Amino acid sequence: MELKSQASMRIIAFILVCVLFLAACGSDGDYSPKPRGYFRINFPEKAYRAYNDGCPFTFDYPTYANITPDEKAKAKPCWVNMNFPQFKGVLHLSYQPVTSKKVFDELIEDAHTFAFKHTVKATSIDEGVISYPNRKLYGLYYTIDGNAASSVQFFLTDSTKHYLRGALYFSSEPKLDSIQPVLDFVKKDIDVLIKSFKWK
């Protein structure tokens, strides 16, 4: 008698498990893999301060960025990095005095070469002219689309004495779809830098 009740309990348990299994499989829900998600980004409020640190230029930069000297072995005076720690990004700024027409032409060619080195990964590279004659400020702004290591590069010059090159990099794998919101945010800061830029 006891064996019969144990056998019937096992049968009932087996039937219950089968019913639960079939009920779980009967849903019409879509269980396909979801696309990879990214962290939510909280952007700080836009606010700026002046950079005026003994170099032959001044400009406005965001309060949530910090500027440090470039510490590479080949770095020269007035080579600085504008760091965006919360975005893991850095805008490298390198200043060169213009000592001759030959040097000037070489610097312009270098800027073009550095920007177009990203052609392999870029989907397009657009050039925009920078021209503020009242401040003797001229240059080119390169917008590099696609999964290139640098999305923005530019140079500024007065065409006689001064030259400054800028290049924006993020220390993460270059995937435009994931960094696009941050890139758009930082591009506005670069626009402010250029619009406020003055030679001393």
Side-chain angles (χ1 to χ4, degrees), residues 179-198:
I179 66 163
Q180 190 66 57
V182 172
L183 181 59
D184 293 341
F185 186 82
V186 173
K187 274 184 177 179
K188 291 175 184 170
D189 297 327
I190 294 173
D191 290 344
V192 168
L193 182 155
I194 292 169
K195 287 174 182 171
S196 64
F197 195 94
K198 292 178 185 170

Side-chain angles (χ1 to χ4, degrees), residues 28-74:
D28 288 337
D30 180 17
Y31 292 102
S32 61
K34 303 292 185 233
R36 184 174 178 175
Y38 297 99
F39 294 109
R40 179 182 170 152
I41 302 165
N42 294 316
F43 293 108
E45 190 176 329
K46 294 279 187 195
Y48 298 91
R49 59 187 164 200
Y51 174 79
N52 190 357
D53 199 19
C55 293
F57 51 82
T58 183
F59 58 82
D60 292 343
Y61 71 101
T63 55
Y64 42 83
N66 61 69
I67 295 183
T68 57
D70 191 331
E71 295 182 351
K72 290 183 187 136
K74 294 182 180 180

Side-chain angles (χ1 to χ4, degrees), residues 25-175:
C25 294
S27 174
D28 288 337
D30 180 17
Y31 292 102
S32 61
K34 303 292 185 233
R36 184 174 178 175
Y38 297 99
F39 294 109
R40 179 182 170 152
I41 302 165
N42 294 316
F43 293 108
E45 190 176 329
K46 294 279 187 195
Y48 298 91
R49 59 187 164 200
Y51 174 79
N52 190 357
D53 199 19
C55 293
F57 51 82
T58 183
F59 58 82
D60 292 343
Y61 71 101
T63 55
Y64 42 83
N66 61 69
I67 295 183
T68 57
D70 191 331
E71 295 182 351
K72 290 183 187 136
K74 294 182 180 180
K76 297 180 180 177
C78 293
W79 283 26
V80 295
N81 294 326
M82 183 187 301
N83 304 292
F84 297 89
Q86 67 274 48
F87 305 133
K88 296 183 181 175
V90 61
L91 177 65
H92 299 285
L93 299 170
S94 50
Y95 170 79
Q96 297 272 62
V98 175
T99 55
S100 68
K101 173 83 166 74
K102 182 176 181 262
V103 168
F104 179 74
D105 291 342
E106 287 172 356
L107 290 169
I108 300 302
E109 186 57 35
D110 284 349
H112 184 78
T113 302
F114 287 134
F116 280 84
K117 272 187 180 178
H118 299 283
T119 303
V120 176
K121 294 274 188 175
T123 54
S124 70
I125 300 177
D126 296 323
E127 295 180 15
V129 175
I130 299 167
S131 180
Y132 295 96
N134 58 326
R135 286 185 275 141
K136 295 184 180 178
L137 186 67
Y138 310 96
L140 283 177
Y141 185 101
Y142 298 94
T143 303
I144 304 167
D145 292 325
N147 293 328
S150 176
S151 301
V152 174
Q153 296 197 16
F154 64 90
F155 73 84
L156 304 171
T157 182
D158 64 353
S159 72
T160 55
K161 295 179 183 177
H162 306 292
Y163 171 92
L164 181 102
R165 182 175 169 273
L168 177 67
Y169 289 89
F170 292 97
S171 61
S172 60
E173 186 181 344
K175 287 188 179 179

